[in-house]
Amino acid sequence: MPEYVLEIVEGPEAGRLIPLPGPIEIGRDPAVGGALLQDELISRHHTRVTPLDDGARVEDLESRNGTFVDGDQIFSPAHLAPGGQLLVGVSVLQLRPAEEARARTSVQPIPASLTALRPLPAQEPAVTAVRQVPTLAMAEAEPDYVPASAFDSNDSSAQPLLALLDVHTKGKARGAPIGLFVLAAFAVILYLALR
């Protein structure tokens, strides 16, 4: 039987190899054979992977977020072929022959355009020019579309605008449940009277 490994190609522990000498469980519990402690969406005992001659058998262990083999959620044991992908939580694991996985990785590097603003965690921050991102916050400005004199309570032309103030709207919103209660009580009384 060929020797297989599961390589984490996406997720918090990308690049890590999990050997498959025999059946192993994958989960957040440190005691399982394939412990993925950094993925918070994985159950403590998420899935079981059993190596076979032509790949591996994957069984979901009643995990909360499910187990996916090659993009499809599984509900019974499923076959994972070499090169196939297993998704648990946010981690994507690829089944690979051990000698091939040790020779080269399947993990794709993060493009430089995505790491320009923030260096990768493994790298030391370089002393380079930082691209300035304009802030979206602006100082509060006085509205120029409604003059301040429009809210003068002594002015009779301002009365229509006073009704639109938040204080008046909130007062009407407080009275609405009472009106609904009275309407519902009236409907019940009318129903019982006509019955």
Side-chain angles (χ1 to χ4, degrees):
M1 180 166 69
E3 185 180 335
Y4 289 110
V5 296
L6 287 169
E7 181 179 14
I8 304 173
V9 294
E10 287 182 32
E13 299 181 47
R16 185 174 144 212
L17 297 175
I18 301 172
L20 280 175
I24 65 164
E25 283 188 14
I26 296 174
R28 240 182 33 248
D29 188 350
V32 300
L36 299 177
L37 304 175
Q38 296 177 16
D39 191 340
E40 296 176 3
L41 296 179
I42 292 180
S43 301
R44 293 183 65 74
H45 297 272
H46 197 99
T47 188
R48 179 179 296 116
V49 180
T50 306
L52 304 171
D53 288 333
D54 60 343
R57 183 176 69 236
V58 179
E59 303 169 72
D60 184 64
L61 301 176
E62 298 180 12
S63 62
R64 177 181 291 178
N65 293 320
T67 300
F68 297 81
V69 172
D70 293 328
D72 296 323
Q73 186 171 7
I74 62 169
F75 300 98
S76 61
H79 184 262
L80 179 64
Q85 293 187 339
L86 171 66
L87 172 66
V88 289
V90 295
S91 299
V92 178
L93 297 91
Q94 186 176 39
L95 182 68
R96 302 185 62 207
E99 62 276 354
E100 179 186 317
R102 289 186 188 100
R104 64 179 179 85
T105 182
S106 290
V107 178
Q108 298 296 319
I110 298 174
S113 62
L114 295 178
T115 61
L117 297 176
R118 183 172 59 180
L120 294 171
Q123 298 175 347
E124 288 295 321
V127 181
T128 59
V130 178
R131 191 171 93 181
Q132 293 294 325
V133 179
T135 181
L136 298 177
M138 295 179 58
E140 186 175 344
E142 191 69 31
D144 57 357
Y145 50 87
V146 179
S149 63
F151 295 107
D152 185 13
S153 60
N154 297 329
D155 186 9
S156 62
S157 65
Q159 292 304 320
L161 288 176
L162 288 176
L164 300 176
L165 282 177
D166 194 37
V167 174
H168 297 289
T169 305
K170 286 182 180 177
K172 290 179 182 179
R174 283 188 212 111
I178 296 170
L180 288 174
F181 176 74
V182 169
L183 183 64
F186 180 72
V188 168
I189 292 171
L190 186 62
Y191 173 76
L192 293 174
L194 295 176
R195 196 169 160 214

